[in-house]
Amino acid sequence: IFYEARYLDSGSHVNILTGTMMLTAVGLLSILSANGLTFLLTWVLIDIAEFLILVGIIKETAKHRISIISLLARFFGIILMMSYLILRTPGSVLDVEKGNLSTGVLIIFIALLRMGIIPLHIPYSEEPKIRRGIGSILRFLPILSVFSFLIFCGPQLFTKIQYGSTLTIVTTGVLFGALSWFFSRSELGGRPYWVFSFGCLALIAFLRGSMDALVGISIMMVVGGSVLFLFLPRKQKAGVLLPLILPVMFAIPFTPTAAIPLAIWGDRAEVANFFLLLSLTLLIGGVIRHSSRIEGKQKKLEDW
C-alpha cells in the first residue's frame, strides 16, 4: 500500500490510498472469518467499498457499467449465501451437519458468483498505476475471501453425477484460463485468466475434499501474482525473484504448496488429472515467460 503511494498522482492519491486501506481492512476481516454470518457481512462491505472506490476514482461511464455487472453477479452470490445460512440451521431442509448432498452444489454456486470470475474480469482502468495498485487488491480480495469460506465449509458429499459433471466443467475452465494466461500479451492483460484458473483449481480441491490443497492454491496464486502484478517486484525486474518463488510454484515437499498434488491427482486415476497437470504447467510457464519480459511502459513511470 505504501509503495503504491510513490506512483500516484497528487490529485487522486488520498482517495486511492484511503480506498485501498479500507478494502484491505474489510478483506482481512473476511478472510479471517470463522462463521457464515461474518462472511455475509464482510462480503456486503467489500461490495459497497468497491462500488464507492470505482465511482470515486474511475470517471469513465462505460467502466461503471462493467463494474455494475460484476457487482450484480456477486450480489446474487450474497442472496444464495443468505439462503445457505437459513437452510443450514439444524432441523432445516439442508442441514450441513447431516452432510446433505445438495449442500455442496449450493456452496459451489455461491463460490462461483462471489469469486468475481463470472463474468470474466474486465479492466476498470487502462492506467497501469491503478491496475498494479488498488486494482490488484480489487481482484484478489474477493477470491481469497471465498477460498477462506470454502475451507470453513469443509468437505462435502457429492453424487457421482454431481462430481463428474462439475469436474468436467471446472477442468475445462482451468485449461482455458491457463492457455489464455500463457499466451496473453502482458501479465496485466492475463491477470483475469490467472485469477480465473486458480478459482477453478480451488473448486476442484473443494470438490475432492482437499482443504490443505486449497490453502496451497491460495498461496501459489498470491505469491506468483505478487511478483508480476505489484509495483515493487515489477519495478526491480521480476525475473530476479524467480529463484525464490519457483519452489513454491513447483509444490516442492515441505513447502506450503506441497499439498496441491492432492487437488491435481486426488486419490483416483481420472482423465481430468492430465489436463489439470497440463494447466498447472502452463500457469508456471506463464509466470516464467512474463517475468522474463521487459515492461516498456513500466520504466516510464515516475514517482512523485
Side-chain angles (χ1 to χ4, degrees):
I1 292 174
F2 290 107
Y3 196 88
E4 175 193 19
R6 297 182 60 191
Y7 299 98
L8 296 176
D9 296 328
S10 58
S12 62
H13 69 281
V14 174
N15 292 337
I16 293 178
L17 285 180
T18 302
T20 301
M21 288 188 282
M22 179 173 60
L23 259 181
T24 303
V26 177
L28 287 174
L29 177 61
S30 181
I31 292 170
L32 296 173
S33 298
N35 61 78
L37 183 58
T38 308
F39 279 113
L40 179 64
L41 293 176
T42 52
W43 286 354
V44 172
L45 290 176
I46 287 175
D47 289 351
I48 293 175
E50 180 173 338
F51 180 78
L52 293 177
I53 289 170
L54 292 172
V55 171
I57 297 175
I58 310 301
K59 303 303 181 181
E60 301 175 46
T61 306
K63 301 297 183 181
H64 288 173
R65 297 194 190 100
I66 295 171
S67 65
I68 289 173
I69 293 174
S70 178
L71 289 172
L72 276 177
R74 282 195 267 167
F75 171 75
F76 286 117
I78 289 177
I79 299 298
L80 290 181
M81 181 63 172
M82 293 173 62
S83 303
Y84 170 74
L85 292 179
I86 294 172
L87 295 173
R88 73 188 293 269
T89 305
S92 64
V93 179
L94 294 180
D95 190 347
V96 174
E97 301 300 328
K98 297 177 182 178
N100 193 294
L101 290 173
S102 302
T103 306
V105 177
L106 179 59
I107 293 173
I108 286 179
F109 275 112
I110 294 173
L112 277 173
L113 292 172
R114 285 302 312 173
M115 282 181 184
I117 61 177
I118 297 178
L120 193 66
H121 285 154
I122 299 175
Y124 294 149
S125 172
E126 300 301 328
E127 174 58 51
K129 296 179 181 180
I130 294 179
R131 295 181 71 183
R132 288 196 182 278
I134 193 171
S136 296
I137 294 179
L138 286 172
R139 294 313 187 196
F140 277 87
L141 276 183
I143 192 169
L144 287 174
S145 175
V146 172
F147 288 175
S148 179
F149 169 67
L150 293 176
I151 295 172
F152 163 76
C153 293
Q156 302 291 319
L157 299 175
F158 296 94
T159 65
K160 290 184 177 179
I161 296 177
Q162 290 173 347
Y163 176 85
S165 57
T166 305
L167 181 65
T168 301
I169 295 172
V170 178
T171 301
T172 304
V174 174
L175 184 60
F176 164 76
L179 285 169
S180 301
W181 158 252
F182 184 83
F183 291 106
S184 60
R185 294 183 177 181
S186 66
E187 68 272 16
L188 287 179
R191 182 167 61 185
Y193 304 106
W194 173 266
V195 176
F196 181 84
S197 298
F198 280 99
C200 293
L201 277 176
L203 290 179
I204 291 176
F206 175 75
L207 193 64
R208 291 177 167 173
S210 178
M211 299 299 106
D212 291 336
L214 210 159
V215 174
I217 289 169
S218 307
I219 293 173
M220 181 180 289
M221 182 186 74
V222 172
V223 170
S226 298
V227 170
L228 291 173
F229 307 139
L230 299 183
F231 279 108
L232 179 58
R234 203 67 183 116
K235 182 75 174 176
Q236 304 298 332
K237 193 174 181 182
V240 178
L241 299 177
L242 273 180
L244 297 178
I245 67 170
L246 283 181
V248 177
M249 301 298 294
F250 281 113
I252 293 176
F254 306 107
T255 64
T257 57
I260 290 180
L262 293 176
I264 302 300
W265 289 286
D267 57 355
R268 68 192 80 178
E270 296 176 331
V271 177
N273 294 345
F274 168 77
F275 295 102
L276 292 175
L277 183 60
L278 175 62
S279 300
L280 191 61
T281 303
L282 289 170
L283 289 171
I284 298 173
V287 171
I288 298 173
R289 176 174 177 264
H290 294 307
S291 297
S292 59
R293 191 186 65 255
I294 298 177
E295 185 77 14
K297 291 184 180 180
Q298 184 65 25
K299 287 193 170 184
K300 296 179 181 179
L301 290 180
E302 296 180 0
D303 56 34
W304 62 280

